[in-house]
Amino acid sequence: YNNQGGRRPHAVASFPVLSGNQDARLRAVQAAADSTQQAALAKLALRFCKKYTILRDGRALPSFFDDWEGNSMAEYITHSRAETVALGKRMAAVLQPGALIAFTGGLGAGKTAFTEGLAEGLGCTDPVSSPTFAIVNYYRGPRPLAHFDLYRISTENDLCAAGFYDYLDQGAIVAAEWSENFADLLALEQPIHVNIERVDENTRKITIEGVEV
């Protein structure tokens, strides 16, 4: 977090250049730093409290807070690639700017097909393809979509360098394949989880958690 409203833990606080003697400037910078740190701790504490209930003896138990916020989970069965694409298009209609879709599912499960539906539903004009080698494909349109493959990304610095957080902050929809590689980190972004299981050659079981489609 930073004092300009940024929501990333790696964001660097920006301090105004103040006139006056050096001691006064240092005190002003320290006060700004303290305020920024307190705000960051408060926001982190809120996120923790959403996940856990703190007992008097200091233990933390899983909380049902997220369910109270209206999170939902539903399963869908598609019987063809076209139906998987159509479900992705249907979900695109309910996404808010800056939404993160965290995909899980094996090779050939249908993640790229689902993303094709997302792009179509968002009005993107660029063709959708797997970002395996590019790491990220950006699809332009009135509601742009950034399509990530996290399989070969190993650190948070790599994630930042690829522009992951920039796309979110700009309001683009971000779809991340192999999201399990960064499950704990992505959880801070309150992602929509989409798990795709291959039932047979044409049939897929798709579980969507975090949004009603």
Side-chain angles (χ1 to χ4, degrees):
Y1 299 90
N2 62 34
N3 65 340
Q4 304 300 318
R7 55 178 182 159
R8 307 298 167 211
H10 58 271
V12 178
S14 300
F15 302 109
V17 178
L18 305 174
S19 59
N21 62 49
Q22 184 177 8
D23 289 341
R25 289 198 299 271
L26 289 175
R27 286 195 298 271
V29 169
Q30 184 60 55
D34 290 342
S35 175
T36 299
Q37 185 178 36
Q38 290 171 6
L41 290 173
K43 291 178 181 178
L44 287 173
L46 177 59
R47 286 189 174 187
F48 185 83
C49 289
K50 287 183 177 181
K51 296 295 182 183
Y52 297 94
T53 297
I54 311 302
L55 304 182
R56 287 186 177 181
D57 62 3
R59 289 180 298 159
L61 297 180
S63 172
F64 295 101
F65 193 101
D66 284 343
D67 291 334
W68 299 342
E69 288 186 316
N71 285 353
S72 61
M73 181 173 67
E75 291 184 355
Y76 303 85
I77 301 296
T78 61
H79 300 91
S80 66
R81 188 181 192 281
E83 289 186 8
T84 299
V85 171
L87 183 59
K89 182 177 180 179
R90 181 173 155 189
M91 194 174 85
V94 299
L95 295 178
Q96 298 297 316
L100 170 61
I101 296 95
F103 282 116
T104 51
L107 287 170
K111 300 182 293 292
T112 299
F114 194 98
T115 303
E116 183 179 322
L118 286 174
E120 184 177 343
L122 294 170
C124 298
T125 56
D126 296 312
V128 172
S129 60
S130 174
T132 300
F133 299 104
I135 296 179
V136 57
N137 290 335
Y138 182 74
Y139 311 125
R140 298 165 295 180
R143 301 177 66 197
L145 171 64
H147 184 193
F148 278 83
D149 186 317
L150 304 184
Y151 188 78
R152 294 187 298 123
I153 293 181
S154 56
T155 68
E156 183 183 3
N157 286 339
D158 293 339
L159 199 62
C160 296
F164 186 87
Y165 293 113
D166 293 330
Y167 287 121
L168 287 173
D169 286 337
Q170 291 165 11
I173 305 299
V174 174
E177 299 190 17
W178 302 103
S179 66
E180 56 267 41
N181 289 359
F182 287 91
D184 292 341
L185 193 62
L186 299 189
L188 298 175
E189 305 302 326
Q190 299 178 327
I192 296 165
H193 295 280
V194 178
N195 181 65
I196 305 179
E197 297 180 35
R198 186 181 188 275
V199 178
D200 58 35
E201 184 176 353
N202 297 312
T203 307
R204 301 292 185 268
K205 183 172 78 170
I206 302 174
T207 305
I208 300 176
E209 182 179 2
V211 70
E212 293 185 6
V213 177

